[in-house]
Amino acid sequence: MAVRAAWLTTRGDSAGGQTREDTRRVPLGTMTPVGEWQTDPGILPGAGGDQTVIGGLRLYRTGPMTCRVLGGRAVVQGTTEQGAYPVLVDNPVPLPVENGDATNPRVDLVVLRVYDDPYDSSGRTEAAVEILQGTPSPRPTPPEVPPCALPLYEIAVPAGASAGSGGIDWGSALRDRRFPTVAVGGIVPAGTAAGRYAGQYRDNGRALERFNGRSWGSPLEDTGWQPMPLGGSVQNISYAPCHIRRIGNVVYLRGRAEKRPGLAEWIWPDQVIARIPEGLRPYSGSIYTFAAARNRIAQYETCRLEIKSNGELYCMSGKVGQTANDELPKWVSFDAVSYPAT
Protein backbone atom coordinates (compact mmCIF):
# COMPACT_ATOMS: atom_id res chain seq x y z
CA MET A 1 0.00 0.00 0.00
CA ALA A 2 1.51 3.32 -1.07
CA VAL A 3 -0.23 5.75 1.31
CA ARG A 4 -1.01 4.83 4.91
CA ALA A 5 -2.86 6.88 7.55
CA ALA A 6 -3.16 6.15 11.25
CA TRP A 7 -6.23 6.60 13.41
CA LEU A 8 -8.79 5.97 10.70
CA THR A 9 -11.85 3.97 11.73
CA THR A 10 -11.25 1.60 8.80
CA ARG A 11 -8.59 1.76 6.15
CA GLY A 12 -10.50 0.47 3.20
CA ASP A 13 -8.28 -2.56 2.45
CA SER A 14 -8.34 -6.23 3.34
CA ALA A 15 -6.42 -5.65 6.58
CA GLY A 16 -9.13 -3.37 7.93
CA GLY A 17 -8.20 -0.58 10.33
CA GLN A 18 -4.81 0.54 11.52
CA THR A 19 -2.17 -2.18 11.50
CA ARG A 20 0.79 -2.51 13.86
CA GLU A 21 3.05 -1.69 10.92
CA ASP A 22 1.10 1.51 10.33
CA THR A 23 1.60 2.48 13.95
CA ARG A 24 5.34 1.85 13.83
CA ARG A 25 5.93 3.79 10.62
CA VAL A 26 3.65 6.84 10.68
CA PRO A 27 4.88 9.95 12.56
CA LEU A 28 2.85 9.58 15.73
CA GLY A 29 5.11 11.84 17.81
CA THR A 30 5.05 14.86 15.50
CA MET A 31 2.49 17.03 17.22
CA THR A 32 2.91 20.79 17.63
CA PRO A 33 -0.24 22.41 19.05
CA VAL A 34 -1.79 25.38 17.25
CA GLY A 35 -4.89 25.46 19.43
CA GLU A 36 -6.50 23.59 22.25
CA TRP A 37 -7.40 20.67 20.00
CA GLN A 38 -5.51 21.22 16.77
CA THR A 39 -2.07 20.22 15.51
CA ASP A 40 0.30 22.07 13.20
CA PRO A 41 0.13 20.20 9.86
CA GLY A 42 3.02 19.71 7.49
CA ILE A 43 5.74 17.39 6.23
CA LEU A 44 8.55 16.02 8.37
CA PRO A 45 11.76 17.84 7.41
CA GLY A 46 14.55 15.82 5.87
CA ALA A 47 12.26 12.91 5.08
CA GLY A 48 12.89 11.35 1.71
CA GLY A 49 16.51 10.29 1.74
CA ASP A 50 18.32 13.63 1.52
CA GLN A 51 19.32 16.48 3.83
CA THR A 52 17.23 19.26 2.33
CA VAL A 53 14.82 21.18 4.53
CA ILE A 54 11.81 19.32 3.17
CA GLY A 55 13.02 16.17 1.50
CA GLY A 56 9.82 14.13 1.69
CA LEU A 57 7.06 13.84 -0.91
CA ARG A 58 9.23 15.18 -3.72
CA LEU A 59 7.75 15.32 -7.20
CA TYR A 60 9.62 14.07 -10.30
CA ARG A 61 8.54 14.02 -13.94
CA THR A 62 8.24 10.62 -15.55
CA GLY A 63 6.97 11.73 -18.97
CA PRO A 64 5.59 14.71 -20.91
CA MET A 65 2.30 14.57 -18.97
CA THR A 66 3.12 12.26 -16.07
CA CYS A 67 4.94 12.54 -12.76
CA ARG A 68 5.30 10.72 -9.48
CA VAL A 69 5.50 11.72 -5.82
CA LEU A 70 8.13 9.92 -3.76
CA GLY A 71 7.88 8.75 -0.17
CA GLY A 72 7.72 10.81 2.97
CA ARG A 73 5.80 11.37 6.18
CA ALA A 74 3.38 14.10 7.17
CA VAL A 75 0.71 15.21 9.60
CA VAL A 76 -2.66 16.25 8.13
CA GLN A 77 -5.07 18.24 10.31
CA GLY A 78 -8.77 17.75 9.81
CA THR A 79 -11.54 19.70 11.51
CA THR A 80 -11.27 20.43 15.20
CA GLU A 81 -13.48 17.42 15.93
CA GLN A 82 -11.46 15.15 13.65
CA GLY A 83 -8.04 15.94 15.00
CA ALA A 84 -4.82 15.18 13.11
CA TYR A 85 -3.85 12.19 10.97
CA PRO A 86 -0.25 10.92 10.82
CA VAL A 87 0.39 9.81 7.24
CA LEU A 88 3.13 7.76 5.54
CA VAL A 89 3.81 7.47 1.80
CA ASP A 90 6.04 4.41 1.54
CA ASN A 91 6.07 3.91 -2.25
CA PRO A 92 6.15 6.33 -5.20
CA VAL A 93 2.69 7.44 -6.30
CA PRO A 94 2.28 7.84 -10.11
CA LEU A 95 0.16 10.80 -11.21
CA PRO A 96 -1.13 11.50 -14.73
CA VAL A 97 -1.85 15.12 -15.68
CA GLU A 98 -4.87 15.76 -17.86
CA ASN A 99 -4.22 17.36 -21.25
CA GLY A 100 -4.31 21.13 -21.39
CA ASP A 101 -7.35 23.14 -22.41
CA ALA A 102 -7.46 24.03 -26.08
CA THR A 103 -7.56 27.79 -25.39
CA ASN A 104 -6.41 28.71 -21.91
CA PRO A 105 -3.75 27.52 -19.45
CA ARG A 106 -4.62 26.18 -16.03
CA VAL A 107 -2.88 25.42 -12.71
CA ASP A 108 -3.38 22.01 -11.11
CA LEU A 109 -2.72 21.29 -7.43
CA VAL A 110 -1.06 18.15 -6.06
CA VAL A 111 -2.26 17.35 -2.54
CA LEU A 112 -1.87 14.76 0.19
CA ARG A 113 -5.42 14.17 1.37
CA VAL A 114 -7.17 12.11 4.03
CA TYR A 115 -10.69 10.83 3.42
CA ASP A 116 -12.67 9.82 6.50
CA ASP A 117 -16.28 9.00 5.68
CA PRO A 118 -17.81 9.58 9.14
CA TYR A 119 -16.67 13.23 8.87
CA ASP A 120 -16.69 14.05 5.14
CA SER A 121 -19.36 11.65 3.76
CA SER A 122 -16.98 10.82 0.93
CA GLY A 123 -17.65 7.11 1.04
CA ARG A 124 -13.88 6.64 1.43
CA THR A 125 -11.67 5.94 4.42
CA GLU A 126 -8.10 6.28 3.23
CA ALA A 127 -5.24 8.66 2.51
CA ALA A 128 -4.22 9.55 -1.03
CA VAL A 129 -1.87 11.66 -3.13
CA GLU A 130 -3.84 13.18 -5.99
CA ILE A 131 -4.05 16.01 -8.52
CA LEU A 132 -6.88 18.52 -8.30
CA GLN A 133 -7.49 19.95 -11.75
CA GLY A 134 -7.63 23.73 -12.00
CA THR A 135 -9.97 25.88 -14.10
CA PRO A 136 -8.60 27.08 -17.46
CA SER A 137 -8.32 30.85 -17.60
CA PRO A 138 -6.18 33.58 -19.20
CA ARG A 139 -4.90 34.15 -15.67
CA PRO A 140 -5.33 30.78 -13.98
CA THR A 141 -5.18 30.17 -10.24
CA PRO A 142 -4.80 26.83 -8.46
CA PRO A 143 -7.79 25.14 -6.83
CA GLU A 144 -8.44 25.80 -3.15
CA VAL A 145 -6.86 23.30 -0.77
CA PRO A 146 -9.69 21.00 0.38
CA PRO A 147 -10.31 20.23 4.05
CA CYS A 148 -8.03 17.61 5.63
CA ALA A 149 -5.36 17.99 2.96
CA LEU A 150 -1.83 19.35 2.50
CA PRO A 151 -0.77 21.17 -0.67
CA LEU A 152 2.36 19.70 -2.23
CA TYR A 153 2.91 21.30 -5.65
CA GLU A 154 1.27 23.50 -8.23
CA ILE A 155 1.65 22.40 -11.87
CA ALA A 156 1.28 24.99 -14.62
CA VAL A 157 -0.41 23.27 -17.57
CA PRO A 158 -0.15 25.26 -20.84
CA ALA A 159 -3.04 25.53 -23.27
CA GLY A 160 -2.98 22.62 -25.69
CA ALA A 161 -0.47 20.63 -23.64
CA SER A 162 -0.38 16.90 -24.41
CA ALA A 163 2.14 14.13 -24.78
CA GLY A 164 2.03 14.59 -28.52
CA SER A 165 2.70 18.34 -28.37
CA GLY A 166 5.68 18.07 -26.04
CA GLY A 167 3.72 18.13 -22.79
CA ILE A 168 4.55 20.22 -19.74
CA ASP A 169 7.77 22.19 -19.30
CA TRP A 170 8.56 20.53 -15.99
CA GLY A 171 11.62 22.70 -15.38
CA SER A 172 9.44 25.81 -14.95
CA ALA A 173 5.97 24.38 -14.36
CA LEU A 174 6.31 23.42 -10.70
CA ARG A 175 5.77 25.60 -7.65
CA ASP A 176 6.66 23.91 -4.34
CA ARG A 177 3.85 24.34 -1.78
CA ARG A 178 5.22 21.97 0.86
CA PHE A 179 5.89 23.22 4.38
CA PRO A 180 7.47 21.47 7.38
CA THR A 181 6.26 20.57 10.84
CA VAL A 182 8.08 19.17 13.87
CA ALA A 183 7.22 17.83 17.30
CA VAL A 184 6.53 20.37 20.02
CA GLY A 185 9.85 21.73 21.26
CA GLY A 186 11.56 20.91 17.98
CA ILE A 187 13.36 23.48 15.83
CA VAL A 188 11.38 24.41 12.74
CA PRO A 189 13.46 24.51 9.55
CA ALA A 190 14.11 27.59 7.42
CA GLY A 191 11.19 28.78 5.34
CA THR A 192 8.57 28.42 8.06
CA ALA A 193 7.20 31.85 8.94
CA ALA A 194 4.29 31.00 11.24
CA GLY A 195 5.00 31.12 14.96
CA ARG A 196 2.86 28.67 16.88
CA TYR A 197 3.64 29.28 20.56
CA ALA A 198 5.87 31.41 22.78
CA GLY A 199 9.18 29.62 23.20
CA GLN A 200 9.16 27.97 19.76
CA TYR A 201 12.48 27.98 17.89
CA ARG A 202 13.24 28.08 14.18
CA ASP A 203 16.33 28.01 11.99
CA ASN A 204 16.13 30.95 9.59
CA GLY A 205 19.00 29.60 7.50
CA ARG A 206 21.62 31.72 9.29
CA ALA A 207 20.86 31.53 13.02
CA LEU A 208 18.28 30.38 15.54
CA GLU A 209 15.27 32.56 16.31
CA ARG A 210 12.75 32.38 19.15
CA PHE A 211 9.04 33.16 18.91
CA ASN A 212 7.85 35.32 21.82
CA GLY A 213 4.15 34.86 21.11
CA ARG A 214 4.02 37.81 18.69
CA SER A 215 7.16 37.85 16.54
CA TRP A 216 10.44 36.05 15.84
CA GLY A 217 13.68 37.37 17.32
CA SER A 218 17.02 36.45 18.85
CA PRO A 219 16.81 33.60 21.39
CA LEU A 220 19.29 35.42 23.61
CA GLU A 221 18.14 37.98 26.15
CA ASP A 222 19.34 41.38 24.98
CA THR A 223 19.12 44.41 27.26
CA GLY A 224 20.18 46.83 24.55
CA TRP A 225 22.76 49.55 25.19
CA GLN A 226 22.22 51.32 28.52
CA PRO A 227 24.15 54.24 30.05
CA MET A 228 26.87 52.93 32.36
CA PRO A 229 26.94 54.55 35.85
CA LEU A 230 30.36 56.14 36.38
CA GLY A 231 32.34 56.81 39.53
CA GLY A 232 32.48 60.30 41.02
CA SER A 233 36.00 61.05 39.78
CA VAL A 234 35.33 60.51 36.08
CA GLN A 235 32.83 61.59 33.45
CA ASN A 236 31.80 60.60 29.93
CA ILE A 237 33.73 61.97 26.99
CA SER A 238 31.01 63.73 25.00
CA TYR A 239 31.72 62.10 21.66
CA ALA A 240 31.86 58.55 23.11
CA PRO A 241 29.65 58.17 26.21
CA CYS A 242 29.99 54.92 28.17
CA HIS A 243 27.34 52.21 27.74
CA ILE A 244 26.80 48.64 28.87
CA ARG A 245 24.81 45.81 27.29
CA ARG A 246 24.07 42.17 28.01
CA ILE A 247 23.36 39.59 25.27
CA GLY A 248 22.77 36.13 26.70
CA ASN A 249 25.37 35.66 29.43
CA VAL A 250 27.96 38.03 27.95
CA VAL A 251 28.28 41.71 28.95
CA TYR A 252 29.73 44.26 26.54
CA LEU A 253 31.11 47.74 27.28
CA ARG A 254 31.77 50.70 25.03
CA GLY A 255 32.67 54.37 25.29
CA ARG A 256 35.35 56.49 27.01
CA ALA A 257 35.66 58.00 30.48
CA GLU A 258 37.95 60.91 31.47
CA LYS A 259 38.97 62.63 34.67
CA ARG A 260 36.52 65.29 35.87
CA PRO A 261 37.71 68.91 35.57
CA GLY A 262 38.98 70.44 38.80
CA LEU A 263 40.26 67.13 40.16
CA ALA A 264 43.70 65.61 39.85
CA GLU A 265 44.11 65.00 36.15
CA TRP A 266 45.20 61.38 36.48
CA ILE A 267 43.00 58.33 37.08
CA TRP A 268 44.48 56.53 40.11
CA PRO A 269 44.17 52.78 40.75
CA ASP A 270 42.11 53.26 43.92
CA GLN A 271 39.44 55.34 42.17
CA VAL A 272 36.22 53.70 40.96
CA ILE A 273 35.67 54.46 37.29
CA ALA A 274 32.25 52.76 36.98
CA ARG A 275 29.72 50.81 39.02
CA ILE A 276 28.29 47.88 37.07
CA PRO A 277 24.54 47.36 37.83
CA GLU A 278 23.31 44.11 39.34
CA GLY A 279 22.58 41.47 36.75
CA LEU A 280 25.50 42.69 34.66
CA ARG A 281 28.29 41.88 37.09
CA PRO A 282 30.89 39.08 36.94
CA TYR A 283 30.37 35.86 38.87
CA SER A 284 30.60 36.18 42.65
CA GLY A 285 34.19 36.11 43.86
CA SER A 286 35.55 36.68 40.35
CA ILE A 287 37.81 39.47 39.16
CA TYR A 288 38.21 40.09 35.43
CA THR A 289 41.04 42.09 33.97
CA PHE A 290 41.29 43.57 30.47
CA ALA A 291 43.67 45.61 28.40
CA ALA A 292 42.09 48.91 27.37
CA ALA A 293 43.23 51.94 25.40
CA ARG A 294 44.38 54.92 27.47
CA ASN A 295 45.93 58.34 26.96
CA ARG A 296 49.27 59.00 28.68
CA ILE A 297 50.91 62.35 27.97
CA ALA A 298 49.20 62.58 24.56
CA GLN A 299 50.29 59.06 23.60
CA TYR A 300 48.02 56.08 23.03
CA GLU A 301 48.98 53.04 25.05
CA THR A 302 47.11 50.40 27.04
CA CYS A 303 46.18 49.98 30.67
CA ARG A 304 44.58 47.22 32.72
CA LEU A 305 40.92 47.36 33.74
CA GLU A 306 39.71 45.33 36.70
CA ILE A 307 36.05 44.47 37.32
CA LYS A 308 35.11 42.98 40.67
CA SER A 309 32.08 40.86 41.40
CA ASN A 310 30.56 43.73 43.44
CA GLY A 311 30.39 45.75 40.22
CA GLU A 312 33.25 48.15 40.90
CA LEU A 313 35.50 48.85 37.92
CA TYR A 314 39.03 50.19 38.41
CA CYS A 315 41.85 51.16 36.09
CA MET A 316 44.99 49.37 37.28
CA SER A 317 47.98 51.00 35.55
CA GLY A 318 51.72 50.42 35.71
CA LYS A 319 53.39 48.06 38.14
CA VAL A 320 52.06 47.20 41.58
CA GLY A 321 52.88 50.05 43.98
CA GLN A 322 53.98 52.37 41.20
CA THR A 323 52.40 55.83 41.36
CA ALA A 324 54.42 57.81 38.85
CA ASN A 325 52.11 60.16 37.01
CA ASP A 326 53.52 59.24 33.63
CA GLU A 327 52.19 55.70 34.16
CA LEU A 328 48.60 56.84 34.90
CA PRO A 329 45.90 57.52 32.27
CA LYS A 330 43.92 60.71 31.73
CA TRP A 331 41.14 58.74 30.00
CA VAL A 332 40.34 55.12 29.22
CA SER A 333 38.32 53.39 26.52
CA PHE A 334 35.95 50.51 27.19
CA ASP A 335 35.51 49.62 23.52
CA ALA A 336 35.78 45.86 22.79
CA VAL A 337 35.65 44.96 26.52
CA SER A 338 33.42 41.97 27.34
CA TYR A 339 33.11 39.35 30.07
CA PRO A 340 30.79 36.53 31.22
CA ALA A 341 28.06 37.64 33.61
CA THR A 342 26.21 35.92 36.42
Side-chain angles (χ1 to χ4, degrees), residues 3 57 74 76 87 89 110-114 127-129 148-152:
V3 186
L57 302 176
V76 180
V87 178
V89 178
V110 182
V111 297
L112 173 63
R113 188 173 184 177
V114 174
V129 175
C148 211
L150 290 179
L152 301 180

Side-chain angles (χ1 to χ4, degrees), residues 300-321:
Y300 290 93
E301 295 187 358
T302 59
C303 64
R304 183 166 61 91
L305 296 180
E306 181 177 284
I307 304 176
K308 297 183 178 181
S309 59
N310 63 1
E312 294 180 346
L313 187 153
Y314 296 88
C315 176
M316 311 299 291
S317 301
K319 299 179 180 179
V320 176

Side-chain angles (χ1 to χ4, degrees), residues 266-270 294 296 301 304 315-329:
W266 310 105
I267 299 176
W268 289 77
D270 61 348
R294 64 165 175 158
R296 181 182 67 82
E301 295 187 358
R304 183 166 61 91
C315 176
M316 311 299 291
S317 301
K319 299 179 180 179
V320 176
Q322 186 171 358
T323 58
N325 287 347
D326 63 357
E327 293 293 331
L328 299 175

Side-chain angles (χ1 to χ4, degrees), residues 176-267:
D176 195 342
R177 291 279 300 272
R178 298 172 302 163
F179 51 88
T181 190
V182 296
V184 64
I187 296 176
V188 183
T192 302
R196 297 307 190 186
Y197 57 89
Q200 184 182 18
Y201 283 81
R202 76 173 181 184
D203 181 348
N204 65 15
R206 300 176 305 277
L208 288 180
E209 292 182 314
R210 181 182 181 275
F211 189 66
N212 63 11
R214 299 177 301 278
S215 61
W216 292 97
S218 170
L220 300 177
E221 177 188 3
D222 188 345
T223 64
W225 289 110
Q226 305 173 7
M228 184 162 64
L230 299 179
S233 62
V234 297
Q235 65 182 14
N236 284 306
I237 293 180
S238 60
Y239 62 82
C242 299
H243 289 84
I244 188 168
R245 180 180 193 172
R246 177 171 178 162
I247 303 177
N249 67 340
V250 179
V251 175
Y252 301 87
L253 308 180
R254 73 178 183 186
R256 294 184 179 182
E258 64 181 353
K259 198 68 173 177
R260 284 186 178 276
L263 301 176
E265 62 178 331
W266 310 105
I267 299 176

